[in-house]
Amino acid sequence: MGTSITFKRPDGKDASGYLANAARGNAPGVVVIQEWWGLSDQIKGLCDRFALAGFDALAPDLYKGKVVPYHDTDAAGKEMNSLDFMDATTQTVRGATQYLSRNGAKVGLTGFCLGGAVTIIGAVHVPELTAGVVFYGIPPEQAAKPADVKIPLQAHFANKDDWCTPELVGGFEKAMKAAGKSLELFRYDAEHAFVNEQRQAVHDREAAELAWGRATEFFRKHLG
């Protein structure tokens, strides 16, 4: 449904990504950030789904063409750990946001796992954003303090997550509330990455559909 595009980062460098456009011409935008596997077909499928829901959706390719197979967690960890999160967010993600906002459209940011962490960093460091939806990812506080978040956030976390643990989630929620920030937070009795239908071992269809409905409703409310 979508197509591969090239867009400019604020520093003038080229970045690439997958763009799926809504049927209407003046649609709001959503930037979609990959899991630690890379810009997989599953993430492209989510862009298509956002387009069907009425949003122009762009997934920037943070790994520059590299996609790690689902079974190879070592390679995925290596790719994620070698990613410059601040450059990826303040340049590539911001460039994608600027691309979608060029006709005056409001733009939201969402991401999964690694992309969830990037969404929170973007909520602090990308001024063109209007709202964000986080899926099971939280960055270290030195990358983005809850007190510095500038946009309303919705967040989805899994109770059986050993990476983005319930303790970590509780701490993030507490810090956001203490800072008086706008946060809708939902917990699901599911595994990490429960939205990814290509990973049958962790996919939870009921939780995924509930989270999807909440996310699209949140973006409609804030982006129009």
Side-chain angles (χ1 to χ4, degrees), residues 60-199:
D61 185 356
L62 302 187
Y63 287 177
K64 301 177 179 162
K66 175 104 178 168
V67 180
V68 178
Y70 285 133
H71 62 84
D72 199 344
T73 53
D74 288 347
K78 192 175 160 194
E79 288 297 327
M80 182 172 80
N81 291 331
S82 63
L83 180 70
D84 182 336
F85 275 75
M86 292 309 290
D87 177 79
T89 307
T90 60
Q91 292 295 330
T92 307
V93 175
R94 189 177 180 197
T97 306
Q98 290 172 340
Y99 179 90
L100 290 177
S101 67
R102 67 199 187 287
N103 296 327
K106 288 181 177 175
V107 180
L109 176 62
T110 190
F112 304 79
C113 169
L114 172 160
V118 168
T119 299
I120 296 171
I121 299 171
V124 172
H125 295 287
V126 179
E128 294 84 357
L129 288 168
T130 300
V133 178
V134 178
F135 285 87
Y136 33 80
I138 296 174
E141 280 225 349
Q142 60 264 34
K145 290 186 181 70
D148 296 333
V149 167
K150 297 180 175 67
I151 56 174
L153 289 179
Q154 186 184 77
H156 305 271
F157 295 104
N159 291 331
K160 302 175 198 168
D161 195 328
D162 56 7
W163 181 63
C164 211
T165 62
E167 292 75 27
L168 195 65
V169 173
F172 173 71
E173 182 179 32
K174 198 172 164 186
M176 286 285 286
K177 278 187 177 161
K181 301 298 176 178
S182 174
L183 175 69
E184 283 179 18
L185 191 140
F186 300 98
R187 293 174 173 83
Y188 303 82
D189 200 21
E191 308 272 350
H192 179 80
F194 65 84
V195 173
N196 190 336
E197 74 283 353
Q198 291 187 345
R199 298 185 59 216

Side-chain angles (χ1 to χ4, degrees), residues 9 17 22 24 33 42 60 75 77 85 95 108 138 143-144 152 155 182 201 211-212 215 219:
R9 296 169 19 130
R24 66 186 175 108
I33 308 299
Q42 194 267 337
F85 275 75
I138 296 174
S182 174
W212 175 260
F219 277 142

